[in-house]
């Protein structure tokens, strides 16, 4: 069974994290470990996600308080197959890039890095300033996969759900979890080009 750590921070776009949890929950071969920050819980209501607190808790196998520095995911001896921070606030990214580890999200990410396990970060900010870019570049050089939720249009999305599903598909792909959440690029038929 794969174990995936999912952290949802206070950046806008809580639905991206919830959709990932929902997709992982649907896979019986995956166990999820959720860390949700105080501001992520606030965004749950502000962004009208349609989820209640209990609905979110039901999506995860294990849930940790962001202040619980003694949680299983705070230790390198806790074996997992990857961590996804979705959405990731710039504060969280800065904390990880400087190794602060002052919250459970930061500590779990630090442990993921030191144990050389996959760490995926979905930054939710625009435009990026130089500090944001430098922090993401620093993390990228350490092997972190930076996957912003930028929509694709080759699949002709008709709804916001289509856009969210496409990003979730990418995250699952990078975690090496098979899925068919969104239409994949099939190439261009040369016969139709002028």
């Amino acid at each position: 069974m794969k174990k995936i750590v999912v952290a949802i921070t206070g950046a806008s776009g809580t639905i991206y994290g919830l959709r990932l949890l929902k997709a992982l929950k649907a896979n019986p071969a995956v166990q999820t470990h959720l860390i949700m920050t105080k501001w992520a819980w606030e965004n749950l209501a502000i962004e009208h996600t349609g989820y209640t607190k209990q609905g979110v808790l039901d999506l995860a196998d294990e849930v940790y308080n962001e202040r619980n520095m003694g949680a299983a995911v705070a230790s390198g001896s806790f074996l997992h197959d990857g961590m996804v921070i979705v959405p990731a606030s710039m504060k969280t990214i800065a904390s990880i890039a400087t190794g602060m580890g002052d919250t459970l999200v930061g500590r779990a990410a630090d442990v993921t890095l030191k144990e050389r396990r996959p760490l995926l970060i979905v930054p939710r900010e625009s435009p990026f300033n130089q500090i944001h870019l430098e922090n993401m570049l620093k993390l990228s050089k350490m092997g972190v996969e930076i996957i912003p939720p930028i929509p694709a249009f080759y699949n002709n999305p008709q709804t916001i759900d289509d856009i969210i599903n496409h990003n979730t598909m990418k995250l699952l792909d990078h975690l090496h979890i098979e899925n068919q959440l969104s239409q994949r690029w099939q190439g261009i038929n040369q016969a139709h080009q002028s």
Side-chain angles (χ1 to χ4, degrees), residues 84-158:
V84 186
I85 306 174
V86 53
S89 67
M90 288 302 142
K91 178 182 176 183
T92 300
I93 291 171
S95 172
I96 296 165
T98 56
M100 285 192 55
D102 57 340
T103 66
L104 184 56
V105 173
R107 174 60 186 166
D110 188 60
V111 165
T112 299
L113 284 170
K114 81 180 183 72
E115 299 296 334
R116 304 212 182 269
R117 297 183 184 126
L119 177 58
L120 284 59
I121 291 181
V122 181
R124 254 297 301 122
E125 187 68 71
S126 183
F128 296 129
N129 68 33
Q130 187 172 341
I131 295 168
H132 302 155
L133 293 167
E134 287 175 354
N135 285 334
M136 288 188 284
L137 178 61
K138 183 177 181 180
L139 291 171
S140 179
K141 286 179 177 179
M142 291 183 222
V144 175
E145 297 179 67
I146 308 293
I147 307 174
I150 298 171
F153 294 98
Y154 61 79
N155 57 352
N156 298 307
Q158 301 299 303

Side-chain angles (χ1 to χ4, degrees), residues 5-194:
V5 179
V6 177
I8 301 177
T9 73
S12 182
T14 304
I15 193 65
Y16 286 106
L18 300 176
R19 190 61 52 84
L20 177 62
L21 281 173
K22 183 178 177 183
L24 293 171
K25 177 82 172 175
N27 188 328
V30 176
Q31 182 184 81
T32 54
H33 295 258
L34 173 64
I35 311 164
M36 217 160 143
T37 69
K38 174 184 183 271
W39 286 106
W41 286 116
E42 293 287 336
N43 280 347
L44 184 68
I46 293 169
E47 296 182 343
H48 303 289
T49 62
Y51 284 87
T52 63
K53 182 173 183 176
Q54 189 59 53
V56 174
L57 296 175
D58 290 343
L59 289 175
D61 294 297
E62 299 289 338
V63 181
Y64 307 97
N65 185 295
E66 69 173 316
R67 294 181 305 278
N68 181 6
M69 299 303 277
V73 296
S75 174
S77 67
F78 174 77
L79 298 175
H80 65 78
D81 299 283
M83 178 176 183
V84 186
I85 306 174
V86 53
S89 67
M90 288 302 142
K91 178 182 176 183
T92 300
I93 291 171
S95 172
I96 296 165
T98 56
M100 285 192 55
D102 57 340
T103 66
L104 184 56
V105 173
R107 174 60 186 166
D110 188 60
V111 165
T112 299
L113 284 170
K114 81 180 183 72
E115 299 296 334
R116 304 212 182 269
R117 297 183 184 126
L119 177 58
L120 284 59
I121 291 181
V122 181
R124 254 297 301 122
E125 187 68 71
S126 183
F128 296 129
N129 68 33
Q130 187 172 341
I131 295 168
H132 302 155
L133 293 167
E134 287 175 354
N135 285 334
M136 288 188 284
L137 178 61
K138 183 177 181 180
L139 291 171
S140 179
K141 286 179 177 179
M142 291 183 222
V144 175
E145 297 179 67
I146 308 293
I147 307 174
I150 298 171
F153 294 98
Y154 61 79
N155 57 352
N156 298 307
Q158 301 299 303
T159 65
I160 292 174
D161 273 352
D162 292 341
I163 292 169
I164 295 167
N165 283 339
H166 187 80
N167 186 259
T168 304
M169 175 188 77
K170 284 189 189 181
L171 297 175
L172 293 170
D173 288 350
H174 283 261
L175 291 168
H176 307 288
I177 296 173
E178 190 175 327
N179 72 94
Q180 300 301 322
L181 281 181
S182 184
Q183 182 179 336
R184 297 177 184 278
W185 178 248
Q186 300 298 317
I188 297 172
N189 185 340
Q190 295 293 328
H192 291 123
Q193 286 188 317
S194 54

